[in-house]
């Protein structure tokens, strides 16, 4: 569907909030906390990028959708185009909402953790819990105070215990998580290292996997990444993969037969066995045994110049 950019609002220097409405003012499809939209961005002549952004605010029927986009210094066009080119009154292609990260709670302690722009789905979950009269903890991590956004709205939620953690060093996760108690749940969104650290410490503190719910930022290249060559042992295909392109996308472009779903390292559907080479793991879903055997091709990389996959 095509929606109109009704309003743009800056939060600090790096976050832009976009409010989208129906061109004829009609009500938009209802949504649930944790849902996201898929935007088609015309970044250049004939070139389009697909990007996913979590919805902000109160779930349910809406006259407008709210999303917030962080300007990524390593942007391949998506966030940069939004920050530099998107204007009020512009029409944009939008799909969804999609409920890929639903709020799942029981009658127990509820903990929300947001790392940076990971506050976006947590913002919606916080509103949903508050509307239900359910007390909860929200831990918001950011490198500096100017990166803490939407605080006025969060502080207005009467059932929230809001904890702000500012600085380059993460808080003590043992104190943040605490020992698991029956009915407790953890929802977290942020960079992969934070989510992996939460998962590892939660396991040490007795949290079962069913109580942990994560959403990551998806594939992100790292400064030290080098081009790699991926060999598929079964099909005989060899693919050159450049930093900034996921192994999975490169295989799809080469017409290789691969399974996948989330493309964010959260579901494990694209897990592939590694026959040769040293993988770098950037998922938030694989067990140690699965990592010892292979990697998620949607977000994983390699420390060696080549990988051989059992595909």
């Amino acid at each position: 569907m095509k929606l109109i950019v009704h309003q743009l609002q800056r939060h600090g220097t790096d976050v832009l909030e976009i409010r989208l409405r129906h061109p004829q003012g009609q009500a938009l499809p209802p949504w649930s906390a944790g849902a996201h939209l898929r935007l088609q961005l015309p970044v250049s002549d004939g070139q389009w990028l697909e990007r996913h952004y979590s919805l902000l605010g109160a779930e349910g029927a809406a006259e407008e959708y709210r999303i917030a986009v962080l300007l990524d210094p390593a942007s391949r066009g998506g966030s940069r185009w939004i920050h530099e080119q998107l204007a009020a009154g512009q029409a944009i292609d939008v799909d969804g909402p999609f409920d890929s990260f639903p709020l799942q709670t029981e009658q127990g302690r509820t903990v929300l953790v947001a790392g940076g722009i990971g506050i976006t789905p947590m913002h919606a979950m916080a509103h949903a819990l508050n509307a239900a009269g359910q007390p909860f903890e929200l831990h918001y991590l950011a490198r500096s105070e100017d990166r803490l956004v939407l605080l006025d709205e969060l502080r207005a939620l009467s059932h929230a215990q809001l904890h702000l953690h500012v600085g380059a060093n993460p808080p003590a996760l043992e104190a943040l998580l605490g020992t698991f108690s029956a009915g407790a749940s953890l929802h977290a969104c942020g960079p992969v290292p934070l989510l992996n650290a939460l998962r590892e410490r939660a396991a040490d503190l007795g949290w079962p996997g069913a109580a942990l719910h994560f959403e990551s930022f998806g594939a992100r290249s790292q400064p030290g990444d080098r081009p790699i060559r991926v060999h598929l042992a079964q099909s005989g295909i060899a693919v050159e993969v450049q930093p900034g392109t996921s192994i999975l996308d490169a295989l799809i472009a080469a017409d290789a037969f691969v399974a996948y779903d989330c493309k964010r390292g959260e579901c494990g559907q694209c897990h592939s066995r590694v026959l040769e080479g040293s993988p770098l793991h950037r998922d938030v879903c694989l067990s140690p045994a699965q990592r010892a055997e292979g990697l998620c091709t949607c977000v994983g990389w390699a420390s060696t110049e080549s990988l051989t996959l059992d595909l």
Side-chain angles (χ1 to χ4, degrees):
M1 59 181 168
K2 279 197 178 295
L3 298 181
I4 300 296
V5 178
H6 174 69
Q7 184 180 0
L8 298 170
Q9 181 180 353
R10 295 278 174 185
H11 296 285
T13 58
D14 296 325
V15 176
L16 180 66
E17 180 181 336
I18 301 108
R19 300 193 178 209
L20 301 165
R21 293 190 176 186
H22 191 280
Q24 282 77 48
Q26 299 176 14
L28 298 172
W31 60 282
S32 300
H36 71 270
L37 300 177
R38 183 171 63 217
L39 275 58
Q40 301 292 335
L41 308 176
V43 294
S44 62
D45 292 341
Q47 299 294 317
W48 294 75
L49 285 179
E50 178 181 289
R51 292 292 183 265
H52 299 240
Y53 299 106
S54 297
L55 282 157
L56 298 171
E59 63 183 9
E63 69 173 18
E64 69 179 9
Y65 290 146
R66 298 172 60 195
I67 60 173
V69 179
L70 172 70
L71 178 59
D72 184 356
S75 172
R76 289 181 287 139
S79 68
R80 185 172 63 250
W81 184 89
I82 286 175
H83 275 254
E84 297 177 358
Q85 303 296 325
L86 193 64
Q90 189 169 349
I92 194 165
D93 288 308
V94 178
D95 294 314
F98 302 102
D99 293 321
S100 61
F101 186 40
L103 177 62
Q104 303 180 49
T105 62
E106 300 181 29
Q107 293 303 312
R109 178 173 172 240
T110 301
V111 182
L112 308 180
V113 179
I117 198 60
I119 190 60
T120 51
M122 298 299 106
H123 184 272
M125 290 184 181
H127 276 78
L129 291 166
N130 197 72
Q134 183 172 340
F136 64 96
E137 303 165 34
L138 172 56
H139 295 266
Y140 189 0
L141 289 65
R143 289 189 174 274
S144 57
E145 289 189 5
D146 64 305
R147 290 179 175 268
L148 294 168
V149 300
L150 304 166
L151 282 184
D152 289 345
E153 293 182 40
L154 295 171
R155 285 173 171 149
L157 301 178
S158 58
H159 294 283
Q161 297 179 35
L162 180 61
H163 304 273
L164 304 180
H165 308 275
V166 181
N169 297 320
L173 297 184
E174 294 85 352
L176 183 156
L177 290 164
T179 303
F180 177 75
S181 57
S185 64
L186 168 72
H187 292 74
C189 181
V192 169
L194 170 65
L195 302 186
N196 280 329
L198 283 168
R199 182 174 65 169
E200 292 168 5
R201 297 307 298 131
D204 293 340
L205 294 166
W207 288 72
L212 308 176
H213 312 283
F214 296 138
E215 182 173 67
S216 72
F217 295 153
R220 294 229 169 174
S221 58
Q222 300 297 319
D225 286 350
R226 299 174 298 174
I228 58 174
R229 185 173 180 84
V230 178
H231 302 266
L232 306 188
Q234 294 184 35
S235 57
I237 295 174
V239 180
E240 301 288 342
V241 189
Q242 299 296 321
T245 298
S246 71
I247 295 173
L248 175 61
D249 283 341
L251 298 182
I252 293 171
D255 290 329
F257 181 76
V258 289
Y260 65 92
D261 186 6
C262 75
K263 299 182 82 172
R264 296 191 302 273
E266 297 164 13
C267 71
Q269 288 295 314
C270 68
H271 177 263
S272 300
R273 195 156 67 99
V274 175
L275 302 179
E276 294 180 10
S278 300
L280 294 173
H281 299 286
R282 295 170 183 170
D283 64 273
V284 295
C285 62
L286 298 183
S287 67
Q290 289 173 314
R291 287 186 172 186
E293 183 181 62
L295 86 165
C296 282
T297 57
C298 67
V299 294
W301 202 248
S303 60
T304 48
E305 293 183 356
S306 66
L307 281 179
T308 300
L309 304 180
D310 190 16
L311 292 172

